Structure formats: structure tokens, C-alpha cells
Amino acid sequence: MNLRRLAALIRKETLQIIRDPSSIVIALVLPVVLLLLFGYGVSLDAKDIRLAVVVESPTPAGSSLVAAFADSPFFRVTELRHRGEAEQGMVAGRFKGVVVVPTAFAEKAGRGDDAPLQVLLDGTDANTARLMRGYVEGVWSKWLAHEAGQRGQTVAVPVVAQPRVWFNPQMLSRDVLVPGLIAINMTLIGTLLTALVVAREWERGTMEALIATPVSVAEILLGKLVPYFVLGMAGMILSVGLGTALFQVPLRGSLWVLMAVSALFLVGALAMGLLISTVAKNQFVAGQIAIVSAFLPAFMLSGFVFEPSSAPAWIEMLSRAVAARYFVTILQTLFLAGDLWSVILPNSAALAVIAAFFLVVTLRRTHKRLD
């Protein structure tokens, strides 16, 4: 390892980054675009759900129940008189659910008898349907308690739950999605930066000129890693700043721990990009391989949106080879819980093993010859 040659290679790559705006776009503009799209456009929270409430026979009790649903922040209520109209509206997609208040509802409720409601839910979105069921039951329970209080009675409930949500008290999906999106951004940045840029050098013939020099393979790889590592870390800092300032996502852990873990993950992503560039010496092919082998597994198997433990066993085992899975876990812990070393250390060790694997394989696969 000749430090003088290494410094010259780093300077050469830095100048190439400055002259080539595509690298700046990938590292600094792409994360901002993805954060804005996902931060504002993607939400797992169920609010303003379109709900039809059918009151077959208007009564004070029925009107009170309709008002209870209308006061809920989770529903946007439309009051109807005919069940068929509500069912047709749900089939047409105008409503996500229907609550039917039957004719004998007020009479049975006044006598203290069972007064059932019919609840129809649109099951095409299973997650929203489950949330709606819980919301309807919550509104119903509060309405019963209110009506009993109006009559000076009490509702006998055998178990009273007192829920307390840790780490994300407001249960905002954005606070979970934004940290995971930072991992997706860094995966895409790391693999594309090195895969596309090195493949471009093969296409332009500059790599052959570099191979003809006395530099070693290790110097070539390190000379390419260092500038893009700095650029990738700048993209990470920009993403973290945007997430905390614009989306108000809390960062309860140490910033230095976040930087260290991000650096470890980025080294593995950049090494993976270099490995892709040695296999595919064409920019189009390298880009396709990077998306299929890095971005899609990171998006689908990291726990960013879908929990790997809920997938079939072989899919869950496959996800253990995806570095983004461990990085997403660390990021969500640092942002929402803090410096929990029982989570950070084992996942960081997994990141170190994956990064070392890609570095070693890339070093062995890269040769100073054209074949």
C-alpha cells in the first residue's frame, strides 16, 4: 500500500465526482426526493376513513350514536337511511365500512337488552379493516358508557385495559417509516454510486488505463471507496437532518453512535457496488443488478414496511442475509428508544460480518487484467 499513490487515486476520484453531476444527484438529491415522497405520501395510519352509518328508524339514541362516530377523528361519516344504498356504496368504493343501526335498536337499548349493530367492513385492505373494527368497538364502548352515565347507571366491564404505548406514544407510522427509509436510501446510494461509476469507467476505457499503472488492486478499491464513502455519509447526514427537522422524528439515541453504525453499513453497501461493477462492466446491467440485489431485498425484507418474522420461515431466513434488516433495527432503536446496546451491538456485529464478506469477495474478484 503506497500512501502517495492512494492519495493520488482519492484526488482523481474526487475530481471525477465534482465533474460528474450524476454522483451528486444520487448521493444528495435522491435521498431528499425519496424522503419527501415517502414522508408525505406513505402512511400506515388509518384516519378519515369513509364510513356509512345506516339509521333505519331515526331515534334520539340512534342520532346520539351517529354523533359519536362523527366526533371520532378516525371516521368521515355519511348518514343514510337504507342499507342497500350503503352496501352499493361500499361495493363502488365510496365507503370502507358500514354500520347498520336496526329499527329496534333504541327500544332494546332502553330496556337494557342486547341491542346488536351490524358492522360491514371492506376486507380488500385487511390492515385497514382490522383497524376499523377496533375503532368501531372503541366508539361503541364509549357511547355505552356515556349513555349509562346519562341514566345514572354503570356499564359492567369485567376487565379494564389501561394501554401505554412505549417509544412511539402517538403511534405515528411516520416515526417508524422515516428511520427505515434512511436505510433504504443508503442502500441505494451505496450500491449505485460505485456500481454505476466504475461500470462507466469500463465503458469509457479509463479503467484499462488505470490497470496499466503500478497501482495495486487494494489501492484501486480503497481509492474508489474513500471519496464515495464521504459522499454517502453526506447523504446520510442530509437524510437525518431532513427527517428530524421536517418530519419531527425524534432522535433519542447518540448522534455519534448513529454515525458509526451508518459508516459500517455504508462500507458494506459500497463494497457490494464494487463487486457488482466487477461482474457487470456495463452501466445499464450494473444498475439493474444493483436494484434487484440490493434495493428490492432492502425494501421488502428489512422490516421497513413488512415484518420479516411474519413471513414464511425460508423468507425469514433469507432476510438474515440482508444488511438493511440489521440497519433498520438499529435506526428505529436509536430514533425511538435510544442507545440500547443489547440491540445495537449484535446487529452492528452482523453488519461488520456482511461488510467484511463483500470487501474480501470484491478484493478477490478484482484483477488487473481485462478478462
Side-chain angles (χ1 to χ4, degrees):
M1 182 71 67
N2 187 298
L3 295 181
R4 185 176 180 181
R5 289 200 301 258
L6 178 61
L9 287 172
I10 293 175
R11 182 174 180 270
K12 172 253 183 190
E13 291 297 331
T14 304
L15 292 175
Q16 185 169 334
I17 290 173
I18 296 173
R19 294 168 182 166
D20 184 10
S22 64
S23 300
I24 307 295
V25 171
I26 292 174
L28 301 180
V29 178
L30 184 61
V32 174
V33 173
L34 289 178
L35 273 173
L36 292 176
L37 286 177
F38 279 85
Y40 287 114
V42 178
S43 176
L44 303 180
D45 303 326
K47 293 183 179 180
D48 294 328
I49 304 172
R50 299 183 301 276
L51 179 71
V53 180
V54 179
V55 183
E56 294 181 339
S57 179
T59 60
S63 300
S64 174
L65 183 58
V66 172
F69 279 106
D71 290 339
S72 171
F74 304 110
F75 297 117
R76 191 164 70 243
V77 174
T78 300
E79 185 177 356
L80 301 174
R81 290 287 178 265
H82 304 286
R83 181 198 303 257
E85 183 181 357
E87 291 177 351
Q88 291 176 3
M90 192 166 74
V91 171
R94 294 194 300 272
F95 306 121
K96 301 297 290 184
V98 176
V99 175
V100 180
V101 183
T103 303
F105 171 78
E107 181 182 350
K108 291 183 178 181
R111 293 199 308 262
D113 298 338
D114 292 338
L117 298 174
Q118 185 178 34
V119 180
L120 307 175
L121 301 176
D122 183 355
T124 55
D125 186 347
N127 183 62
T128 302
R130 284 191 293 267
L131 291 175
M132 285 182 63
R133 179 177 178 177
Y135 295 157
V136 169
E137 291 175 351
V139 171
W140 168 245
S141 300
K142 289 183 178 180
W143 181 83
L144 283 177
H146 178 266
E147 290 295 309
Q150 293 286 83
R151 296 191 298 266
Q153 301 173 352
T154 58
V155 179
V157 181
V159 178
V160 178
Q162 296 182 348
R164 181 182 177 186
V165 181
W166 285 18
F167 311 129
N168 188 6
Q170 296 178 332
M171 292 186 290
L172 297 176
S173 62
R174 181 181 297 173
D175 289 357
V176 179
L177 291 176
V178 170
L181 186 58
I182 293 175
I184 304 300
N185 281 342
M186 292 190 64
T187 301
L188 196 57
I189 290 172
T191 52
L192 283 180
L193 276 178
T194 48
L196 294 181
V197 170
V198 176
R200 187 183 304 128
E201 288 202 51
W202 282 109
E203 289 182 350
R204 293 176 178 175
T206 56
M207 185 60 71
E208 286 86 343
L210 186 61
I211 291 175
T213 64
V215 297
S216 64
V217 171
E219 290 169 355
I220 293 176
L221 296 180
L222 193 57
K224 292 186 175 299
L225 276 177
V226 172
Y228 294 109
F229 174 82
V230 174
L231 193 59
M233 290 299 292
M236 187 277 298
I237 294 172
L238 179 62
S239 299
V240 172
L242 195 63
T244 54
L246 184 60
F247 298 112
Q248 301 298 313
V249 178
L251 177 57
R252 299 191 173 99
S254 170
L255 180 61
W256 296 109
V257 175
L258 175 61
M259 295 283 289
V261 174
S262 300
L264 185 60
F265 175 78
L266 185 58
V267 168
L270 291 172
M272 184 177 182
L274 285 175
L275 179 60
I276 292 173
S277 69
T278 62
V279 176
K281 300 177 181 180
N282 177 276
Q283 290 186 74
F284 177 78
V285 176
Q288 297 301 311
I289 294 176
I291 291 175
V292 173
S293 63
F295 176 72
L296 288 181
F299 190 88
M300 303 295 294
L301 302 178
S302 66
F304 167 57
V305 177
F306 311 104
E307 184 62 37
S309 59
S310 62
W314 68 275
I315 293 290
E316 199 275 336
M317 290 298 296
L318 182 64
S319 70
R320 296 180 182 275
V322 179
R325 171 175 179 170
Y326 306 100
F327 192 41
V328 167
T329 301
I330 295 174
L331 286 178
Q332 291 176 345
T333 301
L334 287 173
F335 273 88
L336 300 179
D339 297 333
L340 300 181
W341 296 108
S342 59
V343 176
I344 295 173
L345 291 179
N347 286 281
S348 297
L351 289 180
V353 171
I354 294 174
F357 169 79
F358 280 114
L359 285 173
V360 171
V361 173
T362 303
L363 186 62
R364 290 181 174 273
R365 287 280 302 175
T366 305
H367 307 287
K368 290 190 64 177
R369 58 176 185 264
L370 298 180
D371 55 348

